[in-house]
Amino acid sequence: MGMQTGAHIVWDWNGTLFHDNDAIIGATNAAFAELGLAPITLERYRALYCVPVPKFYERLMGRLPTDAEWEVMDATFQRYYSVHRSRCTLADGATELLVRWRSAGRSQSILSMYGHDELVPLVRGLGIETHFIRVDGRMGPSGGSKAEHMVRHLAQLALSGVEPARTVVIGDAADDALAASHAGAGAVLYTGGSHSRASLEGVGVPVVDTLGEAVAVAERLAG
């Protein structure tokens, strides 16, 4: 797409562009079952979810998982999710929003904490890869914050002329906004994924109920 000089969106993947709530809850409950823990509902998940993920498990278990428990739970989660993600689809209207943003001459990218080697073929298989100037998934262990990943992502985008001050992160988790702030970008949070509206509204950035609203807010913030 060449050098970029206008507004840029960094899209989160899981729970934002990719509507995978059912697979996430199923994988979480499969991980809990490994330790004999009771399953949770989507509503409880959205009320309590946070990163780093072991802290989320602490909220549910009443204590941090041991290193051995974390390894078992994480491996189970990843295994279950890999099987069941095939039933998931892009969020409603996502493709049209990507096309419209790109057609307006603006750029966009994906930064996800989903594993890079799994993310890239998934994005490609859904037929949307060409809309992005960069697609980055997690490299290294799972479960941590997105902040340092965001700094590296924007550093790479800077080579194409993308400026953090004209960049807005669209995500579904408080950590997306914290990562954006850490990297000097703006943020909009979407209520359709991992967090409830109540848990997002204390973050201090705009909170919206649809991706269409998120893009409209991003356009104003980066304009």
Side-chain angles (χ1 to χ4, degrees), residues 60-137:
L60 294 163
M61 298 168 63
R63 61 173 176 83
L64 279 170
T66 66
D67 290 346
E69 288 172 335
W70 164 251
E71 289 181 9
V72 168
M73 295 173 82
D74 186 49
T76 302
F77 179 97
Q78 301 297 341
R79 184 171 61 251
Y80 183 101
Y81 181 84
S82 293
V83 171
H84 292 274
R85 73 182 187 191
S86 61
R87 297 183 299 179
C88 303
T89 61
L90 292 172
D92 287 346
T95 300
E96 292 79 4
L97 291 169
L98 297 175
V99 170
R100 193 179 311 149
W101 187 264
R102 184 185 180 200
S103 296
R106 306 183 184 102
S107 60
Q108 53 200 331
S109 59
I110 293 174
L111 176 62
S112 174
M113 294 302 283
Y114 189 42
H116 184 78
D117 291 343
E118 291 77 31
L119 174 67
V120 172
L122 181 55
V123 173
R124 184 177 299 133
L126 289 166
I128 58 173
E129 184 182 27
T130 57
H131 296 306
F132 307 104
I133 62 173
R134 189 170 184 88
V135 176
D136 285 335

Side-chain angles (χ1 to χ4, degrees), residues 3-26:
M3 292 295 291
Q4 308 300 316
T5 58
H8 181 88
I9 289 175
V10 177
W11 291 95
D12 174 55
W13 182 247
N14 303 98
T16 303
L17 280 179
F18 193 53
H19 186 65
D20 59 352
N21 289 352
D22 289 346
I24 291 287
I25 291 299

Side-chain angles (χ1 to χ4, degrees), residues 153-205:
H153 185 72
L154 291 183
Q156 291 295 324
L157 291 174
L159 300 176
S160 299
V162 173
E163 302 173 21
R166 299 204 65 192
T167 297
V168 177
V169 176
I170 296 178
D172 68 317
D175 190 53
D176 290 304
L178 296 175
S181 177
H182 186 71
V188 183
L189 296 179
Y190 161 64
T191 63
S194 62
H195 281 38
S196 66
R197 172 175 277 278
S199 63
L200 293 176
E201 287 184 331
V203 178
V205 303

